[in-house]
C-alpha cells in the first residue's frame, strides 16, 4: 500500500516581496533585459559567492585597469596648478569606496591586497607631487614679498 503525501516545495517563494529581499550580485546587461527561452528577464541576482566571483572579478579588473590608465595620464601631465593630482587622489578614493561598499565580500583577500598596494603607491606619488607644488608655490610667494 502506498500513501501520497502532498508537501510544499521548501525552496518556493511565496510573495514578490521576498524576491526583493534576496541579497547578491545583480547582473546587468547592455539592453537592460535578457531574452531566455522567449521570455524577457530584467533582473538576475547571483546569490552564490562562488558563481558571482568570476563575474565581479572581471568587472572590477576592467574598472581598475581603466582607473590606472586615467591615473597615469593625470600624473604624467604637466599641470602647475595641481588640479590633476587632486583629481587623481579623488579617483583613487572613489574607487576604494566603491570596492568597499559593493564588491568586497565577493573578491578574494589577495586580489584586494594587490590592488590596494598599487593604488597606495600611486596615491603616495600624487600626494608627494601635490606637496611639492604647494611648497614651490609658497616659496615663490614669500620670495616676492621680500
Amino acid at each position: 500500500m502506498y500513501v501520497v503525501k502532498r508537501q510544499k516545495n521548501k525552496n518556493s517563494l511565496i510573495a514578490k516581496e521576498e524576491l526583493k529581499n534576496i541579497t547578491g550580485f545583480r547582473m546587468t546587461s547592455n539592453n537592460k533585459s535578457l531574452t531566455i527561452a522567449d521570455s524577457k528577464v530584467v533582473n538576475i541576482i547571483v546569490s552564490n559567492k562562488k558563481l558571482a566571483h568570476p563575474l565581479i572579478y572581471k568587472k572590477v579588473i576592467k574598472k581598475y585597469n581603466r582607473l590606472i590608465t586615467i591615473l597615469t595620464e593625470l600624473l604624467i601631465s604637466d599641470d602647475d596648478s595641481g588640479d590633476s593630482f587632486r583629481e587623481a587622489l579623488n579617483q583613487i578614493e572613489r574607487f576604494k569606496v566603491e570596492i568597499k561598499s559593493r564588491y568586497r565580500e565577493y573578491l578574494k583577500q589577495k586580489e584586494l591586497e594587490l590592488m590596494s598596494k598599487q593604488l597606495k603607491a600611486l596615491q603616495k606619488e600624487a600626494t608627494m607631487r601635490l606637496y611639492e607644488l604647494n611648497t614651490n608655490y609658497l616659496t615663490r610667494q614669500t620670495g616676492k614679498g621680500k
Side-chain angles (χ1 to χ4, degrees), residues 93-105:
E93 284 302 316
R94 256 189 244 133
F95 183 76
K96 284 183 177 180
V97 168
E98 184 178 7
I99 293 298
K100 281 183 182 178
S101 64
R102 290 186 182 175
Y103 307 119
R104 174 176 266 180
E105 63 189 56

Side-chain angles (χ1 to χ4, degrees), residues 56-74 91-92 95-96 98-99 103 107 111 114-116 118-119 122:
I56 292 174
Y57 181 72
K58 183 178 177 182
K59 186 173 187 174
V60 168
I61 288 299
K62 191 182 289 185
K63 285 184 179 187
Y64 178 73
N65 289 334
R66 202 174 317 134
L67 175 70
I68 294 296
T69 56
I70 290 170
L71 290 177
T72 52
E73 288 175 10
L74 288 174
Q91 292 283 339
I92 291 171
F95 183 76
K96 284 183 177 180
E98 184 178 7
I99 293 298
Y103 307 119
L107 294 173
E111 297 163 350
L114 179 66
M115 286 189 281
S116 176
Q118 292 175 347
L119 286 176
L122 290 171

Side-chain angles (χ1 to χ4, degrees), residues 9-121:
N9 189 357
K10 293 178 184 179
N11 297 329
S12 66
L13 296 172
I14 298 170
K16 290 183 180 179
E17 287 77 30
E18 288 184 28
L19 287 173
K20 293 178 183 176
N21 295 333
I22 293 176
T23 58
F25 173 66
R26 178 171 288 174
M27 288 179 49
T28 58
S29 68
N30 295 338
N31 303 348
K32 301 289 183 188
S33 67
L34 299 170
T35 305
I36 300 173
D38 297 331
S39 300
K40 285 193 175 186
V41 179
V42 179
N43 293 325
I44 297 177
I45 299 174
V46 180
S47 60
N48 188 346
K49 290 183 181 180
K50 286 185 179 181
L51 293 175
H53 176 264
L55 300 170
I56 292 174
Y57 181 72
K58 183 178 177 182
K59 186 173 187 174
V60 168
I61 288 299
K62 191 182 289 185
K63 285 184 179 187
Y64 178 73
N65 289 334
R66 202 174 317 134
L67 175 70
I68 294 296
T69 56
I70 290 170
L71 290 177
T72 52
E73 288 175 10
L74 288 174
L75 292 176
I76 291 173
S77 70
D78 295 331
D79 185 18
D80 290 338
S81 65
D83 290 335
S84 63
F85 302 126
R86 286 187 200 93
E87 179 64 28
L89 292 171
N90 288 339
Q91 292 283 339
I92 291 171
E93 284 302 316
R94 256 189 244 133
F95 183 76
K96 284 183 177 180
V97 168
E98 184 178 7
I99 293 298
K100 281 183 182 178
S101 64
R102 290 186 182 175
Y103 307 119
R104 174 176 266 180
E105 63 189 56
Y106 299 104
L107 294 173
K108 295 178 183 174
Q109 190 65 29
K110 286 184 179 181
E111 297 163 350
L112 291 171
E113 287 175 0
L114 179 66
M115 286 189 281
S116 176
K117 283 180 184 178
Q118 292 175 347
L119 286 176
K120 280 182 184 179

